[in-house]
Amino acid sequence: DLLLIENQKIEFSVIADIDKVRDQWLALQSKGMTFCFQTYEWISTWIETIGKGRHSDIFFAQVFFADQLVCLIPFEITSGKWGRRLAIVGDPVSDYFSPSFDPSFAKKIDPQMWIKIWKGITNAVYNFSRFDYVYIYQIPESIDGVVNPLFWMNRSKSDIFCYQRILEVDVPTFKSKAFTSKMASDSKRRLRNLGELGTVKFMQADNTVDSNNIIEFLLEEKHNQLTSQNQVSIFKRNDIQQFFKKLFEHRSIAHLSVIQVDEKNVAAHFGAQWNNRFYYMVQAYRDGDWRKYAVSRLLLEWLFEMSIESSKSVFDFTIGAESYKSTWCNSEIRIGTVIDFKTTRGLIFHSSYLIRQWARSFFARTSKSSVEEKPVST
């Protein structure tokens, strides 16, 4: 059916060649309402590294309004036990999955109109490459303060949030609000003790340093930390390591920082900066005696200061509910999941997901009720 907004028609297109969408993509992302994980730079790097071993179909859905690109979604279709799944490109290195929007268009549409647009997108994709179901997770509720239309379709019954800090206008104000007197004195003491070991440098990596050496150190230490905690690590994979090294070539997005003591790496972080947002993503520190100096926290504090001085307005801790993040955050963003289906096989997955969601919600309510009703021991 023909879709109209303000008597202007909405049209859909699906293209497999990333080079053919590059220029329009770059123009769209410059307008805002794009997370770093859906920029051309991030996705093209993913395709060149991680995507090569995925054996999946990758293509780009576009939505045009008044002959202008207003929405772009990089899609991937993979095959699994439930059939062919349609998802947004980026697994396992992207923390958020979302379309990119022209903000002026996103503000024009309501949930009912978005459902029709989504149907047009998925129909265009299905005609291009068959799939059974849609499963997209880690969808933020908003993008740069504007409601994310995809989140209107959220089917998750769990309240999942990501931490972030709305940054203060200057470093002294940030410190006065974020630091207790004990935290401030503790940081000064640890930095002073660290200085007794040698010359301490806080650096943002650039062409003058060996970035590959820092990235290799970071991923090695991150891998060791995860495996020591019996957690799964992806950081030894060659495609993951190549992704981070190649992404660093895009300095407008990638941000690599390190603490060195007498030229020795002791803590490092790989993140991203895009528009008004700094993304805190992968951090690790040298194990052993370095732990007592809290070098990872010192680096985090420095990154806060650097973000404020570079006029960022949001410090985004991205996915992960580690307890230390709540100490620094003053804002949260809700995360959702979208499921949909196109075939009978996809309907089976869809129904199974909803049943699991209902069961979790039911048992959570039952557990809470039993606790509330349990008499207090006297």
Side-chain angles (χ1 to χ4, degrees):
D1 296 332
L2 184 65
L3 293 181
L4 297 174
I5 297 180
E6 298 174 349
N7 293 320
Q8 298 281 350
K9 64 181 178 180
I10 298 175
E11 298 178 297
F12 307 95
S13 172
V14 180
I15 297 177
D17 188 346
I18 191 172
D19 292 332
K20 292 183 178 179
V21 298
R22 177 183 181 276
D23 291 344
Q24 288 183 313
W25 192 343
L26 292 172
L28 177 65
Q29 70 185 37
S30 70
K31 298 178 181 179
M33 283 202 77
T34 300
F35 289 109
C36 73
F37 308 110
Q38 282 77 53
T39 59
Y40 170 82
E41 293 85 350
W42 186 284
I43 297 297
S44 62
T45 301
W46 185 95
I47 290 172
E48 292 176 28
T49 54
I50 298 168
K52 284 185 176 180
R54 298 277 288 190
H55 306 294
S56 57
D57 298 336
I58 299 169
F59 42 84
F60 310 93
Q62 299 172 288
V63 180
F64 293 88
F65 171 66
D67 297 322
Q68 297 294 315
L69 179 65
V70 294
C71 175
L72 185 143
I73 312 177
F75 276 126
E76 175 187 30
I77 294 180
T78 54
S79 297
K81 67 177 182 178
W82 295 101
R84 285 170 60 81
R85 171 197 172 190
L86 180 68
I88 293 178
V89 167
D91 185 63
V93 291
S94 297
D95 279 31
Y96 300 148
F97 295 89
S98 172
S100 295
F101 290 99
D102 181 326
S104 63
F105 175 76
K107 293 173 183 177
K108 291 179 188 289
I109 59 179
D110 57 24
Q112 291 72 31
M113 176 55 70
W114 171 251
I115 294 297
K116 296 177 181 178
I117 293 171
W118 178 251
K119 182 179 179 181
I121 292 170
T122 54
N123 284 344
V125 169
Y126 187 77
N127 290 333
F128 185 85
S129 183
R130 296 291 193 262
F131 63 92
D132 295 297
Y133 66 98
V134 179
Y135 180 47
I136 304 171
Y137 55 90
Q138 295 173 200
I139 304 167
E141 185 174 15
S142 62
I143 310 173
D144 294 333
V146 181
V147 174
N148 182 355
L150 186 60
F151 189 85
W152 283 326
M153 301 171 62
N154 175 37
R155 301 304 297 268
S156 174
K157 299 298 182 183
S158 303
D159 288 328
I160 302 174
F161 296 88
C162 286
Y163 294 122
Q164 59 184 17
R165 185 175 189 91
I166 308 304
L167 292 172
E168 288 74 11
V169 295
D170 54 50
V171 173
T173 304
F174 161 71
K175 288 187 173 182
S176 69
K177 292 184 177 181
F179 284 66
T180 63
S181 57
K182 184 180 182 302
M183 288 173 62
S185 61
D186 183 60
S187 294
K188 289 179 181 178
R189 176 179 57 83
R190 292 179 188 273
L191 185 57
R192 184 173 61 252
N193 292 343
L194 193 62
E196 293 175 358
L197 302 179
T199 302
V200 180
K201 291 182 182 178
F202 289 75
M203 296 192 307
Q204 179 180 342
D206 55 24
N207 291 328
T208 64
V209 301
D210 185 354
S211 59
N212 282 347
N213 173 268
I214 298 172
I215 292 172
E216 288 167 6
F217 158 79
L218 170 63
L219 300 184
E220 177 72 21
E221 293 298 334
K222 188 66 176 180
H223 170 80
N224 293 340
Q225 288 174 23
L226 290 172
T227 54
S228 69
Q229 299 165 6
N230 296 318
Q231 297 184 43
V232 176
S233 170
I234 62 172
F235 296 105
K236 276 288 191 178
R237 284 171 39 181
N238 182 64
D239 59 340
I240 299 295
Q241 295 184 8
Q242 290 305 311
F243 170 82
F244 284 106
K245 290 177 179 179
K246 190 164 186 63
L247 184 64
F248 185 66
E249 297 173 8
H250 297 288
R251 303 298 170 79
S252 61
I253 291 181
H255 189 280
L256 178 64
S257 54
V258 64
I259 299 179
Q260 294 182 337
V261 177
D262 284 345
E263 309 297 327
K264 182 177 185 178
N265 300 325
V266 298
H269 171 262
F270 195 109
Q273 49 189 353
W274 179 250
N275 290 340
N276 66 340
R277 187 178 295 261
F278 183 86
Y279 298 82
Y280 188 73
M281 292 163 46
V282 182
Q283 65 83 25
Y285 58 91
R286 191 177 293 276
D287 207 358
D289 291 340
W290 298 100
R291 181 190 295 266
K292 65 184 179 183
Y293 297 99
V295 287
S296 60
R297 196 183 93 179
L298 292 175
L299 182 56
L300 173 59
E301 293 172 3
W302 182 78
L303 289 171
F304 268 116
E305 294 181 20
M306 180 278 306
S307 298
I308 293 170
E309 290 170 351
S310 60
S311 300
K312 295 292 182 286
S313 59
V314 178
F315 192 100
D316 192 333
F317 279 104
T318 64
I319 291 294
E322 294 88 344
S323 58
Y324 75 90
K325 293 180 178 179
S326 62
T327 303
W328 299 99
C329 98
N330 58 13
S331 178
E332 296 175 339
I333 183 169
R334 192 176 174 203
I335 300 298
T337 299
V338 165
I339 59 170
D340 199 357
F341 64 93
K342 276 292 184 183
T343 67
T344 302
R345 192 174 184 183
L347 175 60
I348 295 172
F349 169 82
H350 185 272
S351 302
S352 173
Y353 178 88
L354 294 180
I355 291 170
R356 292 197 302 270
Q357 286 284 297
W358 176 87
R360 288 173 185 161
S361 179
F362 174 79
F363 287 117
R365 291 196 306 271
T366 303
S367 176
K368 182 178 179 181
S369 175
S370 64
V371 170
E372 291 174 345
E373 294 171 6
K374 184 177 179 179
V376 179
S377 300
T378 59

